Amino acid sequence: MKILGSILILASSILASYYYEKSYKFKIKRCEEIFDFISYIRAQIDYFSYPIDLIYQKYDKNTEEIRYLIENNDAKKMLIDKSTDKKISEFFSSIGKGFKKEQLSLCDYNLELLNKKIEALKREYPNKTKVFRAMSLFIGICMVILLV
């Protein structure tokens, strides 16, 4: 019985590290999708001067996160981090209001912000996953030792 419990504890600690790694990869992917969407918006405003409603309709990659941003003008569901979510929310609430030059500079600012965030996440990814794997395995082993 103790062996079975030990195996289950170790398996759950390994699964926890796997879940953390997947969620971190998903966060990077989400940032890249938002970056691509803002790049698309910027290009449409710059070259064609389309209104924002038409830009939203023409965007062909309607993922769940992008659809949520379009419908609610709110990035709180993105869960990247609080400051980035706030900046993206401000961007989507103010896009389409103002002159072309202001909209382009707003797009450029948010693209730069997201690019820095993506680079930081990719740079931290290997270290954070190694640490979390080691911590979860260590905690699992400690719990097994305490049980046995």
Side-chain angles (χ1 to χ4, degrees):
M1 191 62 139
K2 288 183 180 183
I3 294 173
L4 180 65
S6 301
I7 292 171
L8 288 175
I9 289 172
L10 287 175
S12 65
S13 67
I14 291 170
L15 287 174
S17 67
Y18 177 75
Y19 174 77
Y20 177 78
E21 183 177 350
K22 284 293 186 184
S23 65
Y24 203 85
K25 279 184 181 178
F26 187 70
K27 186 184 283 191
I28 294 171
K29 182 182 174 219
R30 185 180 305 138
C31 286
E32 289 172 340
E33 287 177 352
I34 296 170
F35 182 87
D36 291 342
F37 184 53
I38 295 174
S39 297
Y40 175 79
I41 290 172
R42 189 195 185 295
Q44 295 297 313
I45 290 172
D46 192 20
Y47 299 118
F48 303 110
S49 298
Y50 285 147
I52 197 67
D53 295 335
L54 185 59
I55 293 172
Y56 287 164
Q57 290 173 359
K58 291 180 73 168
Y59 191 68
D60 56 348
K61 295 180 186 174
N62 277 335
T63 62
E64 182 180 330
E65 289 84 15
I66 300 299
R67 196 173 312 116
Y68 181 83
L69 282 172
I70 291 171
E71 292 171 359
N72 300 314
N73 292 337
D74 186 19
K76 291 183 178 132
K77 186 182 176 189
M78 299 296 107
L79 302 175
I80 299 166
D81 64 27
K82 288 184 180 183
S83 64
T84 308
D85 289 348
K86 184 178 177 186
K87 300 267 190 210
I88 294 171
S89 291
E90 290 171 1
F91 169 77
F92 281 101
S93 64
S94 63
I95 193 73
K97 301 171 187 164
F99 296 107
K100 181 178 179 179
K101 190 174 184 178
E102 295 169 347
Q103 298 300 304
L104 292 175
S105 64
L106 185 64
C107 288
D108 290 337
Y109 171 76
N110 281 285
L111 286 172
E112 184 180 328
L113 173 80
L114 279 172
N115 192 31
K116 288 179 183 176
K117 189 65 181 177
I118 291 168
E119 288 174 2
L121 287 172
K122 285 183 177 179
R123 190 173 50 249
E124 294 171 353
Y125 173 75
N127 295 334
K128 285 195 173 190
T129 53
K130 284 179 188 175
V131 167
F132 198 78
R133 282 182 197 157
M135 282 180 36
S136 63
L137 191 60
F138 178 73
I139 290 170
I141 290 171
C142 288
M143 289 178 69
V144 167
I145 290 171
L146 288 174
L147 281 177
V148 176

